[in-house]
Amino acid sequence: MRSGCCPEPEGGGRHLIYGHVYKTARDEDGNHLSQGEVRDVPWVAIPPVVRAIRVLERIVPAGGLLFGATSHDFPKHRKLSGSIKHKTAGVRIEAFATWVSDLAARLGRPHEIVPKDPHGAIGTARFRRTLAWHIARKPGGLVALAIHYGHLRTSVASAYASRSRGGIHGLLDIETARATADTLATLNADLADGAGISGPAARRAIHVAAQAPTFLGTILTARQARDLLNNPNLAVYDNPNAFVMCVYKPDRALCHREGTKDAPSLDRCVSTCANIARTDRQADLLIERAETIEKAAASSPEPLAERLNGNAAKLRERAERHHRDRIKTDTPRESAR
């Protein structure tokens, strides 16, 4: 990626669009293009990424590589060609982790210190996977993961995907499958401890959770990940923003108004959907959220306070309905429908 390729977003928007240079691009004869090749589809970045790019643009000369070796050779200021190497990037990652830990210690925030890794240096590959792990486990994380690696599963060609280490498609599949396995394992453990579950998809969730031990800790390759993701009976998604779990069946989903999709839109979750299930853990979070809203209402002007209290009441009603209708695994199971 080169300096000066990032136009300001129109109207002070929240995102910035910039080009991305393929440094491994080749011409029609297979010869390497040293100047790279700008991709046709731009990359959309959120504000923190934009600020980081702005800092890089101030470090390097106009038109230069944002990670140009010469500009980033701070100790020796040598004249180098190309961008920094993987080894140098790995050293920078280790230095960043050390800086974060030192800052956390000075600010009295020991819980934010980066612990020493028993497996040694993090390196670029492990850093990327760690970042992907956290992103993939957020609502809408799959799309965010694809965007922030500069690739979108629905639009990128397989040829380019293979240029990234291990292929971005494989990374997306593995992290998505592991997130699904973690969700199933947590649900299975909660049910085994006597927790209850409610909602139209409650019995389907119980049936799926029973299969969790089969997959936990076994997803090591992209092929294993695809085996899980291609099984429609294992499509379970945690949605912490809506305090529900989606046991996804495309033909029953209310988050898609037209046609069916291979995954739910968790940002458009509908409370009356037949795919919804809720656990005791999520019901407790509903109460916590209601209490937070009620505290805000107590210090708000009357029109806003009334609206906030109304929202809190709806959350409490959902929690009460859960405890009224909840079932446990010792209840005779029906076949998954």
Side-chain angles (χ1 to χ4, degrees):
M1 187 184 301
R2 294 184 181 278
S3 174
C5 61
C6 310
E8 292 289 348
E10 295 182 4
R14 296 170 56 194
H15 300 82
L16 177 144
I17 299 175
Y18 56 91
H20 186 81
V21 177
Y22 297 149
K23 63 182 180 181
T24 57
R26 298 182 180 275
D27 61 21
E28 296 178 355
D29 298 323
N31 300 314
H32 178 253
L33 297 175
S34 59
Q35 75 276 16
E37 180 180 359
V38 178
R39 63 181 295 180
D40 295 329
V41 181
W43 188 9
V44 181
I46 58 176
V49 177
V50 175
R51 289 194 292 271
I53 293 174
R54 292 289 178 240
V55 171
L56 286 171
E57 288 182 325
R58 296 177 64 181
I59 293 175
V60 304
L65 295 172
L66 292 182
F67 289 94
T70 297
S71 300
H72 287 268
D73 187 36
F74 302 115
K76 300 180 180 179
H77 301 286
R78 294 169 294 182
K79 296 294 182 180
L80 305 171
S81 61
S83 60
I84 61 174
K85 306 299 182 183
H86 282 128
K87 182 179 180 180
T88 303
V91 172
R92 298 289 175 82
I93 291 171
E94 293 295 325
F96 174 72
T98 300
W99 177 82
V100 168
S101 296
D102 291 344
L103 179 62
R106 290 201 306 271
L107 297 178
R109 302 179 65 85
H111 60 286
E112 294 184 350
I113 291 177
V114 181
K116 294 295 183 181
D117 195 319
H119 299 287
I122 298 174
T124 54
R126 292 178 60 200
F127 182 76
R128 185 183 78 160
R129 182 164 294 284
T130 299
L131 181 62
W133 189 96
H134 288 282
I135 295 176
R137 283 155 178 76
K138 298 293 184 181
L142 179 61
V143 175
L145 183 62
I147 289 175
H148 284 280
Y149 280 123
H151 316 267
L152 194 56
R153 181 196 299 269
T154 56
S155 64
V156 68
S158 296
Y160 180 66
S162 64
R163 296 181 190 174
S164 62
R165 181 175 299 183
I168 191 66
H169 288 171
L171 176 64
L172 292 176
D173 287 340
I174 290 173
E175 294 306 328
T176 304
R178 286 178 175 173
T180 299
D182 288 349
T183 298
L184 293 177
T186 299
L187 176 60
N188 185 56
D190 287 347
L191 294 173
D193 289 338
I197 187 169
S198 67
R203 295 197 181 278
R204 280 195 283 132
I206 291 174
H207 177 78
V208 174
Q211 304 177 56
T214 304
F215 296 98
L216 191 61
T218 64
I219 304 170
L220 303 176
T221 67
R223 175 174 293 182
Q224 292 169 331
R226 287 192 293 272
D227 288 342
L228 186 151
L229 296 176
N230 291 336
N231 188 337
N233 295 321
L234 299 177
V236 178
Y237 300 82
D238 184 28
N239 190 349
N241 287 345
F243 307 106
V244 296
M245 185 172 295
C246 177
V247 189
Y248 189 63
K249 289 288 185 182
D251 58 334
R252 304 183 186 186
L254 297 183
C255 56
H256 302 303
R257 295 185 177 181
E258 297 181 1
T260 59
K261 307 288 185 179
D262 59 0
S265 293
L266 298 180
D267 59 336
R268 294 202 296 267
C269 192
V270 181
S271 61
T272 56
C273 183
N275 289 332
I276 281 180
R278 178 173 282 124
T279 64
D280 288 350
R281 187 194 302 266
Q282 291 164 331
D284 292 341
L285 292 174
L286 280 173
I287 297 299
E288 290 181 14
R289 178 60 176 164
E291 291 174 348
T292 300
I293 294 176
E294 289 166 345
K295 289 179 181 178
S299 58
S300 300
E302 185 56 34
L304 178 58
E306 183 177 352
R307 188 180 310 121
L308 290 173
N309 283 323
N311 290 338
K314 291 179 181 178
L315 296 179
R316 288 186 177 277
E317 193 279 329
R318 292 175 185 172
E320 292 171 1
R321 187 191 313 150
H322 162 80
H323 288 291
R324 184 174 62 249
D325 300 338
R326 65 199 283 269
I327 58 176
K328 295 186 177 182
T329 52
D330 56 0
T331 302
R333 297 183 186 177
E334 298 176 2
S335 60
R337 293 174 291 177

